[in-house]
Amino acid sequence: MPSGGRHRAPQPPSTVMKVLRTTGAVTALVSSGLAVTAAPASAATADDFAKLRQCESGGNYRINTGNGYYGAYQFDAKTWHSLGYSGLPSDAPPALQDEAAYKLYNARGWSPWPSCSAKLGLTRTGPAPSSSSSTAAPAPSSPIQRAITPVQPAMTLERAKSLLNSEDFTGTALSTALACEVRPDAYVWQSEMRQKKFILQVDGRFGQESQGLASLYSYLTRVDDGSTGVVGKNLWDVTVTDPAVL
């Protein structure tokens, strides 16, 4: 029979027992690695930023379409420079663009990317991952490699048409499989659709918006290129070659 009697109120653990219990719990966590390696539950992950890049730019670190936003995370120049970087984001190595995105996120959360963060459901509020954990492609390993990496000039309608003429262009086959590329034929087609008073972004990337408009225009003109939402030679001809249609 314990001292104090059966009906005596249980006594709280002594200070010594509290210390021993706490020390034992901490020791167990440290020995298992959990106490020192677990990241905050709400910390942003490299995968979150990979999804963000894909949504903002198709994951293209070099993209510069002339719309005032550059690189994988679509920084404007003012924001980029305010973070302490020079030049344009689209000319910077991938690792540097990731670093800048992490800096901006740590300062302002997902608010600089309102559309994509909402679309992707990015709600984590913890710190960004370290730059070393980025899943981005590595930066060029030497200054020589950086020097010979071509910098794509901004796409314009004049330049897009010039590129098509220089390649003796006779037709196209645009689909969402090419959404990550900035293509002169996509830029020209989008520009012509804007001239026809359709609403879409002219950026040279044939994404879902362009696919949907291609489906609609194919229906309106009764032109069939064999696959819904694809701009083949037939739809190209009634859009670009014969712009009087519709």
Side-chain angles (χ1 to χ4, degrees), residues 18-79:
K18 288 179 181 177
V19 170
L20 288 174
R21 288 180 184 177
T22 304
T23 305
V26 171
T27 302
L29 284 172
V30 171
S31 63
S32 68
L34 294 176
V36 293
T37 61
S42 62
T45 65
D47 186 56
D48 290 334
F49 285 90
K51 292 175 181 177
L52 180 66
R53 291 193 300 272
Q54 190 63 33
C55 177
E56 289 287 340
S57 66
N60 187 350
Y61 283 90
R62 309 293 295 176
I63 192 167
N64 176 359
T65 63
N67 65 352
Y69 297 92
Y70 310 91
Y73 298 95
Q74 292 292 275
F75 282 101
D76 61 32
K78 181 178 179 181
T79 302

Side-chain angles (χ1 to χ4, degrees), residues 2-234:
S3 62
R6 179 182 297 180
H7 302 294
R8 182 175 177 178
Q11 297 298 307
S14 67
T15 301
V16 173
M17 286 302 295
K18 288 179 181 177
V19 170
L20 288 174
R21 288 180 184 177
T22 304
T23 305
V26 171
T27 302
L29 284 172
V30 171
S31 63
S32 68
L34 294 176
V36 293
T37 61
S42 62
T45 65
D47 186 56
D48 290 334
F49 285 90
K51 292 175 181 177
L52 180 66
R53 291 193 300 272
Q54 190 63 33
C55 177
E56 289 287 340
S57 66
N60 187 350
Y61 283 90
R62 309 293 295 176
I63 192 167
N64 176 359
T65 63
N67 65 352
Y69 297 92
Y70 310 91
Y73 298 95
Q74 292 292 275
F75 282 101
D76 61 32
K78 181 178 179 181
T79 302
W80 177 256
H81 296 154
S82 73
L83 293 169
Y85 303 100
S86 59
L88 292 177
S90 52
D91 297 337
L96 199 63
Q97 293 186 46
D98 290 340
E99 178 186 280
Y102 295 169
K103 269 190 187 181
L104 187 59
Y105 164 83
N106 284 334
R108 296 170 54 190
W110 299 113
S111 63
W113 305 278
S115 297
C116 280
S117 61
K119 177 181 176 181
L120 297 170
L122 298 177
T123 57
R124 302 176 195 269
T125 57
S130 64
S131 299
S132 61
S133 66
S134 169
T135 57
S141 58
S142 73
I144 295 177
Q145 286 178 300
R146 287 196 185 117
I148 64 174
T149 301
V151 176
Q152 297 297 325
M155 186 66 72
T156 63
L157 183 57
E158 181 180 3
R159 179 169 178 266
K161 288 183 175 181
S162 175
L163 288 171
L164 297 188
N165 291 334
S166 67
E167 296 171 3
D168 195 24
F169 184 80
T170 58
T172 190
L174 294 169
S175 73
T176 52
L178 307 171
C180 292
E181 301 178 32
V182 178
R183 297 173 56 92
D185 46 357
Y187 196 97
V188 169
W189 186 82
Q190 291 168 338
S191 298
E192 291 293 344
M193 296 305 290
R194 283 287 293 270
Q195 288 294 319
K196 295 177 186 296
K197 309 303 181 185
F198 290 98
I199 299 174
L200 82 165
Q201 184 176 5
V202 179
D203 59 5
R205 288 184 290 169
F206 195 90
Q208 292 183 349
E209 183 183 50
S210 295
Q211 180 190 45
L213 187 53
S215 297
L216 173 63
Y217 199 61
S218 179
Y219 171 78
L220 293 174
T221 58
R222 300 294 189 268
V223 171
D224 184 9
D225 273 316
S227 183
T228 302
V230 170
V231 178
K233 187 176 187 307
N234 295 332

